[in-house]
Amino acid sequence: MRIVHTPQELGEPYGAGPPRAVVPTMGALHEGHAANIRAARALLPPGGQVIVTVYVNPLQFGAGEDFDRYPRTLQADARVAEAAGADVIFAPSDALMYPSGEPLVRLSAGPMGEPLEGATRPGHFDGMLTVVAKLLHLTAPRYAMFGEKDAQQVALVRRMVADLNFPVEIVAVPTVREEDGLALSSRNRYLNAAERRTALALSRALFAARDRLSAEAALADRAAAGRAPFGDRAQALAALHEERASADAAALAAATAVRTGSAASARAAAHTVLTEAAGLNPPLDLDYLALVDPATFREVPDTHTGEAIMAVAAKVGTTRLIDNTRLTLGAPR
Ligand SMILES: Nc1ncnc2c1ncn2[C@@H]1O[C@H](COP(=O)(O)OP(=O)(O)OP(=O)(O)O)[C@@H](O)[C@H]1O
Ligand SMILES: CC(C)(CO)[C@@H](O)C(=O)[O-]
Ligand code: BAL
């Protein structure tokens, strides 16, 4: 495996050589990145080239964010990339990426870039799309891999290549998690042990929403099959092994108005976990919990049925983390 710094060193330019798959990263590689690299390898025919880009893009960081302290670990990254099956790391310089300094012309993410990450990090997605466009020009891949952990990012990249006719297929890779559920992230290395315990609330909130929906669906199926109903709603969810049921049984018992499989139900389950984590030491400082339409990243109404993305962002100490999961909201029963 080679580390190169210019597009010329990548070999045949602009699609003339064997097909390429690119994995754009900011380095500090972990198993999540490795999954992207393995997925890239699996897509290519023999002789194809897997390129991992490593570039900490100043344009997508706001003032006061962690650009300066972001981990830069190129030699260790090379070992992870090679073990996962990459052929080359492309680590461009600032001078190559931004030859005239801060670019006067840049891409605009538009309305899908405004909520959630876009609201907390103004300009982040314009900077991200601008660098991704440049990396795609420089590497000329057939495929480009992006993690579902950054759900709004991959949705925006898909729109960019569709709206601007980029000749590349965007491939989304499922989120890799630690055994206890924490989504792998380069920023996890900022966490001490106590902060890491608090940070677990992000994934636990998402799982609580998912479990609530599946417990409610099972409950409705049971009723539809004519089997005896449980004593009350809380008892029913507990019997169906919903993780949170015992902790918020009272709230559930009172929540008779909550429709089976509804957005409100999912939001309530997640908020129970996040509220509890706000009282931990150190506390979880919630930025947002959102249940959004995957096509717009706008909040879905309580009447929404079908696919939705539940996304969460929070700070623990000085570290800001994000996570998300896909949920299917049921029709009213
Ligand atoms: N746990 C994960 N599973 C799968 N893909 C991931 C995971 N974490 C990051 N990725 C993907 O790897 C690519 C590069 O991400 P990046 O280098 O920013 O790493 P990161 O771990 O997300 O870091 P950060 O801490 O900055 O969020 C992105 O497409 C991202 O979605
Ligand atoms: C896609 C990306 C490499 C662009 O800088 C970055 O946003 C990331 O690491 O997700
Ligand atoms: N993982 C997305 C890149 C960023 O946080 O800037």
Side-chain angles (χ1 to χ4, degrees), residues 42-112:
L43 281 173
L44 291 178
Q49 191 185 30
V50 175
I51 303 172
V52 177
T53 72
V54 174
Y55 182 64
V56 187
N57 172 35
L59 215 58
Q60 70 188 68
F61 285 78
E65 291 186 1
D66 58 344
F67 176 73
D68 288 330
R69 76 160 169 159
Y70 201 85
R72 289 154 171 92
T73 58
L74 194 56
Q75 294 310 322
D77 292 346
R79 290 191 286 277
V80 176
E82 178 163 32
D87 296 300
V88 56
I89 284 187
F90 175 54
S93 63
D94 289 334
L96 177 70
M97 296 307 285
Y98 299 114
S100 316
E102 203 169 315
L104 290 182
V105 177
R106 62 185 76 189
L107 284 165
S108 162
M112 207 205 285

Side-chain angles (χ1 to χ4, degrees), residues 24-27 30 32-33 36 70 145-150 153 173-177 183-188:
T25 81
M26 302 201 302
H30 50 63
H33 299 115
N36 282 253
Y70 201 85
M145 323 298 291
F146 291 86
E148 284 176 359
K149 196 204 70 175
D150 297 274
Q153 168 169 283
V173 178
T175 301
V176 178
R177 299 179 177 281
L184 295 189
S185 164
S186 303
R187 290 185 170 100
N188 290 352

Side-chain angles (χ1 to χ4, degrees), residues 253-289:
T256 47
V258 173
R259 245 176 351 107
T260 295
S262 73
S265 205
R267 288 182 176 114
H271 269 302
T272 302
V273 177
L274 296 169
T275 304
E276 196 178 284
L280 295 177
N281 182 21
L284 187 88
D285 179 8
L286 183 65
D287 181 349
Y288 60 75
L289 173 77

Side-chain angles (χ1 to χ4, degrees), residues 56-314:
V56 187
N57 172 35
L59 215 58
Q60 70 188 68
F61 285 78
E65 291 186 1
D66 58 344
F67 176 73
D68 288 330
R69 76 160 169 159
Y70 201 85
R72 289 154 171 92
T73 58
L74 194 56
Q75 294 310 322
D77 292 346
R79 290 191 286 277
V80 176
E82 178 163 32
D87 296 300
V88 56
I89 284 187
F90 175 54
S93 63
D94 289 334
L96 177 70
M97 296 307 285
Y98 299 114
S100 316
E102 203 169 315
L104 290 182
V105 177
R106 62 185 76 189
L107 284 165
S108 162
M112 207 205 285
E114 286 165 10
L116 309 189
E117 289 304 283
T120 301
R121 304 180 68 186
H124 166 66
F125 284 130
D126 295 356
M128 180 279 293
L129 288 178
T130 302
V131 86
V132 170
K134 291 164 75 80
L135 290 168
L136 293 176
H137 292 323
L138 291 165
T139 58
R142 182 179 294 176
Y143 305 103
M145 323 298 291
F146 291 86
E148 284 176 359
K149 196 204 70 175
D150 297 274
Q152 198 175 4
Q153 168 169 283
V154 66
L156 282 165
V157 171
R158 276 193 200 287
R159 280 308 299 245
M160 175 182 78
V161 306
D163 290 352
L164 302 183
N165 298 84
F166 280 43
V168 60
E169 188 180 320
I170 302 304
V171 180
V173 178
T175 301
V176 178
R177 299 179 177 281
E178 305 271 14
E179 227 165 72
D180 59 8
L182 185 70
L184 295 189
S185 164
S186 303
R187 290 185 170 100
N188 290 352
R189 64 182 72 189
Y190 299 150
L191 303 171
N192 64 31
E195 289 171 337
R196 193 191 175 288
R197 273 195 296 280
T198 297
L200 263 184
L202 274 83
S203 54
R204 286 188 51 235
L206 302 175
F207 299 157
R210 185 199 59 197
D211 291 350
R212 175 77 54 92
L213 294 180
S214 56
E216 288 185 348
L219 196 54
D221 288 347
R222 185 183 166 95
R227 292 175 61 197
F230 292 95
D232 67 17
R233 186 181 176 76
Q235 241 184 43
L237 293 176
L240 291 163
H241 306 299
E242 192 210 5
E243 193 197 340
R244 301 293 312 161
S246 56
D248 59 3
L252 276 170
T256 47
V258 173
R259 245 176 351 107
T260 295
S262 73
S265 205
R267 288 182 176 114
H271 269 302
T272 302
V273 177
L274 296 169
T275 304
E276 196 178 284
L280 295 177
N281 182 21
L284 187 88
D285 179 8
L286 183 65
D287 181 349
Y288 60 75
L289 173 77
L291 188 57
V292 299
D293 183 333
T296 60
F297 280 82
R298 300 283 168 180
E299 289 280 354
V300 296
D302 279 349
T303 50
H304 183 83
T305 59
E307 288 291 293
I309 292 176
M310 179 169 270
V312 62

